[in-house]
Amino acid sequence: MAGGSIVTQVGGKEYPGSFTLFVAMACLVASSGGLIFGYDIGISGGVTSMDSFLSKFFPSVYRKAKEDVSTNQYCKFDSQLLTLFTSSLYLAALASSFVASSLTRTSGRKWSMFVGGITFLIGAVINGLAINVFMLILGRILLGVGVGFANQSVPLYLSEMAPAKLRGMLNIGFQLMITIGILAANLINFVMSKYEWGWRVSLGLAGVPAFIITIGSLCLPDTPNSLIERGHAEKAKEILAKVRGTKDIQDEFNDLTAASEDSKLIKSQWKDMLEPKCRPPLVVTILVPFFQQLTGINVIMFYAPVLFKTIGFGDDASLMSAVITGVINVLATVVSIIVVDKYGRRILFLEGGVQMLICQIAVGVLIGHAFGTSGVGELSKSYSMFIVGLICAYVAAFAWSWGPLGWLVPSEIFPLEIRSAGQTVNVAVNMFFTFIIGQVFLTMLCHMKFGLFFFFGGWVLIMTIFIFFFVPETKNVPIEEMILVWKNHWFWGKYISESDIHVGNVEMTKKPHVKTP
Ligand code: BGC
């Protein structure tokens, strides 16, 4: 079935094609890989605050929490052991993304998704049945391995499958699934916190999204780019015609073949990444996930109930507020799906940055005003509702900017031969800083108090300036022609020589949609 017809034009070529049911289904199934990541982000915070879970596995933490009668709002919930349990998953994901990098390159994108799904499935079962801390940690490590494989391969898969004009929309399906996973986890925790064995259901249900991506990946075709790279040109042609809904694919096929010829020349993805022509995407791919985590979003995702408790909400109201931010997170992601290919990545990055900054400063000022540096005080209902409103506006801004773009942009800016390694860098940096934030946030809150909001605000300012000067617009540019965008950039252009370019026509890229700042 073909929907609206699309013609992508860059470098003087036209790529005909339409939005086919085939590409829609393939991307839908692949993006379900985001569910496992999202479910995990959402589930751990709630489970580790359930009394039955704490008293069974972390009795010392449980006793300490019960004995704590301090009134300092900033320092109530500090427990390194518990945060280490939560964030250990991110270290496992980091390590496994390096293994995933070779599998994704040499065996295809779909097999990494499969390995991710099945490992996560086993981890979920072990966690749901856990009778001791060992099972809990083992399960958690397997979940991390699953996330590492899925996050390494799914964004690449989506970016390569999509026609250039819809790449943003289809890739953000991954982030949409992440947000749906987080919301589902928040809701499940909300219900399960009322039962003694609730934590088992919360942890075990992670098996559901894992099952979907495991079975789904078996039914998916691999991307034309990966098939050509692995020497299956005929199959690639067949899949390309299917996903584009037309037989008129020769131009695009030629670009993919040219990219694959370049790809054969390299010995090691990692060595090649240090070549000057890879400097621009490499620097952007290190900084984008670093900045994404320094927005402070996971403070909300991991600790929303704690944070809402801090500003004076009761247990139920805190969990409920976490559900509200979860809903906003999903809805605002849909906004970016609608606009990302029309207005581009840069405008979303810039608007989102400004909106987050304003909200962070306002929340810092309001909390500082109420609790001062002593951390003692009380908030009126209307005052705390106003703060919740600002937190929601902050989550919305993240959800249509750094959230989805943190996965989209790194997956679309590398040349084919090192795209897989590039995505590993993205996952590794992201997981490392997710780990750090998860680990140090509560201690930071205790020491920096309301200044923490200004700390993250300062980073948001820096990242917004970085985007303005150093990240070119990539909307609508065919993925194998991205080198032309770098070549035309005021700063990065010097790293790309004419002999690096084997696709398109560099002069022709000087058009509005690939014009660089
Ligand atoms: C980030 C996660 C974050 C989530 C929130 C993702 O893009 O990588 O760290 O928790 O967005 O929706």
Side-chain angles (χ1 to χ4, degrees):
M1 189 210 76
S5 226
I6 301 156
V7 175
T8 299
Q9 184 173 12
V10 166
K13 290 182 187 161
E14 292 195 348
Y15 292 169
S18 21
F19 182 42
T20 58
L21 182 61
F22 189 81
V23 80
M25 289 312 293
C27 289
L28 182 70
V29 172
S31 48
S32 69
L35 280 176
I36 59 177
F37 181 40
Y39 190 82
D40 198 85
I41 292 169
I43 211 73
S44 356
V47 167
T48 50
S49 63
M50 291 181 195
D51 282 354
S52 51
F53 176 84
L54 279 184
S55 57
K56 186 168 173 67
F57 296 108
F58 301 94
S60 63
V61 177
Y62 177 69
R63 272 196 306 276
K64 208 173 143 230
K66 289 284 151 193
E67 283 161 12
D68 182 14
V69 288
S70 81
T71 47
N72 183 341
Q73 299 288 347
Y74 296 125
C75 301
K76 267 190 133 57
F77 303 92
D78 198 354
S79 160
Q80 291 292 322
L81 185 62
L82 210 55
T83 46
L84 184 63
F85 160 76
T86 304
S87 40
S88 62
L89 178 146
Y90 299 97
L91 290 184
L94 190 168
S96 65
S97 69
F98 285 90
V99 185
S101 170
S102 340
L103 186 70
T104 302
R105 179 155 193 261
T106 53
S107 308
R109 286 53 174 142
K110 69 178 269 179
W111 290 111
S112 283
M113 291 188 234
F114 176 76
V115 173
I118 195 105
T119 326
F120 198 91
L121 187 59
I122 300 170
V125 173
I126 296 182
N127 264 350
L129 299 177
I131 46 170
N132 50 34
V133 176
F134 173 75
M135 284 179 80
L136 217 50
I137 304 271
L138 177 68
R140 230 161 142 82
I141 290 174
L142 292 176
L143 296 185
V145 173
V147 167
F149 272 83
N151 286 17
Q152 200 276 340
S153 50
V154 171
L156 280 194
Y157 184 90
L158 296 171
S159 284
E160 290 184 343
M161 270 302 199
K165 284 224 159 187
L166 300 175
R167 190 172 59 240
M169 175 185 115
L170 291 172
N171 182 291
I172 295 178
F174 177 65
Q175 174 72 13
L176 184 66
M177 292 293 184
I178 294 178
T179 61
I180 292 174
I182 296 175
L183 177 62
N186 284 342
L187 287 168
I188 289 168
N189 273 344
F190 185 58
V191 176
M192 288 304 147
S193 62
K194 302 186 171 52
Y195 301 95
E196 178 70 23
W197 38 265
W199 62 269
R200 280 196 193 280
V201 181
S202 287
L203 293 181
L205 278 179
V208 175
F211 185 75
I212 298 176
I213 182 68
T214 307
I215 301 298
S217 64
L218 289 178
C219 312
L220 288 176
D222 223 317
T223 66
N225 318 50
S226 171
L227 286 165
I228 297 185
E229 192 183 21
R230 290 180 291 122
H232 307 295
E234 277 317 303
K235 180 84 186 150
K237 218 171 190 174
E238 188 193 310
I239 297 289
L240 191 60
K242 253 184 167 169
V243 285
R244 300 288 177 259
T246 169
K247 295 232 170 318
D248 189 8
I249 45 147
Q250 198 55 46
D251 273 348
E252 188 170 2
F253 185 76
N254 290 346
D255 267 0
L256 298 189
T257 311
S260 148
E261 290 305 316
D262 285 348
S263 151
K264 289 195 187 109
L265 300 177
I266 71 153
K267 298 221 157 44
S268 150
Q269 297 194 83
W270 301 106
K271 262 205 195 129
D272 242 57
M273 199 176 254
L274 301 175
E275 295 277 309
K277 70 168 180 174
C278 298
R279 199 74 39 85
L282 179 60
V283 172
V284 171
T285 296
I286 292 172
L287 287 179
V288 162
F290 166 73
F291 284 147
Q292 190 206 49
Q293 290 308 311
L294 266 281
T295 58
I297 187 66
N298 280 325
V299 166
I300 308 290
M301 294 302 139
F302 295 157
Y303 300 112
V306 171
L307 209 68
F308 288 124
K309 254 187 210 172
T310 301
I311 55 179
F313 284 35
D315 273 356
D316 255 18
S318 303
L319 278 174
M320 209 45 221
S321 316
V323 172
I324 294 170
T325 51
V327 171
I328 305 252
N329 197 15
V330 175
L331 296 181
T333 306
V334 176
V335 173
S336 75
I337 289 188
I338 297 168
V339 303
V340 69
D341 292 312
K342 194 160 189 273
Y343 300 113
R345 285 68 164 144
R346 280 172 54 81
I347 186 77
L348 285 171
F349 266 133
L350 298 175
E351 192 286 333
V354 172
Q355 187 172 326
M356 282 193 285
L357 179 59
I358 295 172
C359 296
Q360 281 162 321
I361 293 177
V363 171
V365 168
L366 289 176
I367 294 197
H369 178 68
F371 293 139
T373 46
S374 66
V376 182
E378 252 185 61
L379 304 186
S380 72
K381 198 161 169 90
S382 56
Y383 201 92
S384 32
M385 287 320 288
F386 189 59
I387 295 181
V388 172
L390 283 169
I391 292 180
C392 287
Y394 160 82
V395 170
F398 174 88
W400 60 56
S401 60
W402 282 88
L405 301 176
W407 295 103
L408 168 62
V409 171
S411 77
E412 65 181 9
I413 55 178
F414 275 102
L416 177 65
E417 64 270 23
I418 50 165
R419 196 170 296 142
S420 181
Q423 185 60 11
T424 293
V425 171
N426 182 28
V427 176
V429 176
N430 196 309
M431 294 302 139
F432 181 70
F433 286 99
T434 309
F435 169 78
I436 297 286
I437 299 275
Q439 203 56 34
V440 303
F441 164 70
L442 291 175
T443 316
M444 279 172 87
L445 179 65
C446 188
H447 290 102
M448 295 175 77
K449 309 183 167 66
F450 60 91
L452 189 60
F453 295 94
F454 301 136
F455 169 81
F456 286 121
W459 281 106
V460 169
L461 181 64
I462 295 172
M463 65 188 79
T464 308
I465 295 172
F466 170 76
I467 296 289
F468 185 80
F469 287 108
F470 296 105
V471 178
E473 184 53 68
T474 49
K475 79 165 180 184
N476 299 350
V477 181
I479 196 163
E480 305 304 350
E481 297 201 350
M482 214 49 85
I483 194 159
L484 305 177
V485 173
W486 298 118
K487 180 70 191 158
N488 283 312
H489 188 269
W490 71 273
F491 179 79
W492 299 118
K494 60 176 177 279
Y495 291 100
I496 316 282
S497 67
E498 299 288 334
S499 61
D500 291 327
I501 300 175
H502 307 127
V503 290
N505 169 351
V506 72
E507 284 308 311
M508 294 297 290
T509 62
K510 292 182 175 154
K511 290 180 178 181
H513 66 280
V514 287
K515 215 172 71 193
T516 54

